[in-house]
Amino acid sequence: MQTTHKPTEAVAVDKILPKSANPKNYRRAKIWQMGFFAANNSATNIYMFLMMNVAYFATGVVGLGTVLVSTLITGSRMFDGITDPIIGLWIDKTDGKYGKFRPFMLAGYLTMTVVVLLLFFTNHLVPDPLRLPYFILLYLLYIIGYTFQTAVTKSGQSVLTNDPEQRPLFSTFDISMTSLLFAGAGIYLANYLVPKYGTFNSAALFAEFTLTVIAISGILTTLAIIGIWEKDRTEFFGTGKAVKITLKDMWQILKGNRPLQMLIVAASTDKLGQTIAGNSIVMVMLFGIIIGDYGLFGVISGILLIPNIIIAIFGTRMAGKFGTKKGYIGATWLSMITYGGMFLLIVFGDPSQISMSNMGFMTIAFLSLYVIGNGVRTLSGGLVIPMIPDVTDYETYRTGRYAPGVMGTIFSFVDKMISSFGQTVIGITLAFIGFDQIFPDVTTPYSDEILWVTMFLFVGTLMFAWIASLVAMKFYDLDKAKMEEIQAEIESRRQEVLHNKEI
């Protein structure tokens, strides 16, 4: 039976703790460790960017139907969510020579590398009756590798630092690297690969794309392993006292941890909206069909880089100063304002006037709203990640359990189950206006149906998500003051464990 700890009163913490355990004497990470470890998220994001375009490969190269592919991707995402708690439990049971987290980072990268090589180099070459089951098998194996590595991004932060002011720094590095990554990837895809091969539906395009992704992810994974190396040791795991975690504990954690529940609601709805709005098919419809210049997407991706980094630095500093919860709420409100502005601009203006060669009102207004909106949207999503170690520490504070793997993957399980419907929403919505065999591309003519479907997918889904997030944050109690109380209590227990070991 799990022991429930009675938290120490925060007002008496300075009297209870020795100087070394004072809540202001946190176990902080070096700045370079935070930056290097943040590369783990970018290492998996570059694979995610590749797989965001897999629908084009599956329909245009392999020859599978659009609704079928969309449904398969949804089903695979559900499988992804189911594997999360299992892998999370595996992480929590691991504490060997190479630590708790590093083995899963390396295993994840190697698995994804082998799978994408087989998928994009051989799927279209196997006999027709085998192409569908072959695609499903490889996609499921990719998900297992992806989960290995992404689970560490969520769970590994708890060992790097326990300072509530330093944890948002992870998002500074993460958002900066992600912005650089997606800006470069957008330019690479829209302004190099597509013009080079003339279409998305090219096996050669995906072959070159795949090799580039493998190389970049390999470098980033290596940096991340180096970043967590020093902290991936038993003495940094929770209170320093081993607590056995079982499958039964997963339900107890989810049922009893209210902040985890609220974070799941906020993050999963955000993820669903962002998965839909940022899908390559939606970008093709917005830039390639409504605006009429898909190359502008690559140009704007480059423009986004510096503003995203500036917004990330400013936003995470505010989150460090006032608490991650307040930073997240502020970024969500700004996102709603800017995306609402884009909706009004595109619907009531003339989007065909948006062009880098025509710097009139439409272009300036769209660029301003798109750049700021993308920056604060990225910030709100990025601030979710340092909130995961907060709910992990809350669980340790509440029950004594240190279960970063289970906590992170319970979060991912529900998150992925909900966001898995993103591709299905896109597929069904487009099939409703006649695109049931092949998705719209840059050669598809403009129509009012395309306009309204794009606005629903690009703006509407995000608005629903952000409203749900703001409601959830009303019931999320882990503000800055509460986290300081939690860290003081955990450090007190850790000092007690160390003292008992010395005796």
Side-chain angles (χ1 to χ4, degrees), residues 13-33:
V13 76
D14 286 329
K15 297 178 181 179
I16 294 171
L17 302 183
K19 186 176 181 180
S20 61
N22 189 283
K24 296 301 181 183
N25 293 335
Y26 297 113
R27 290 176 283 117
R28 295 167 60 90
K30 298 180 180 69
I31 300 299
W32 68 265
Q33 289 174 322

Side-chain angles (χ1 to χ4, degrees), residues 182-197:
F182 279 97
I187 294 170
Y188 176 67
L189 181 61
N191 297 86
Y192 171 70
L193 286 180
V194 173
K196 179 179 179 179
Y197 295 100

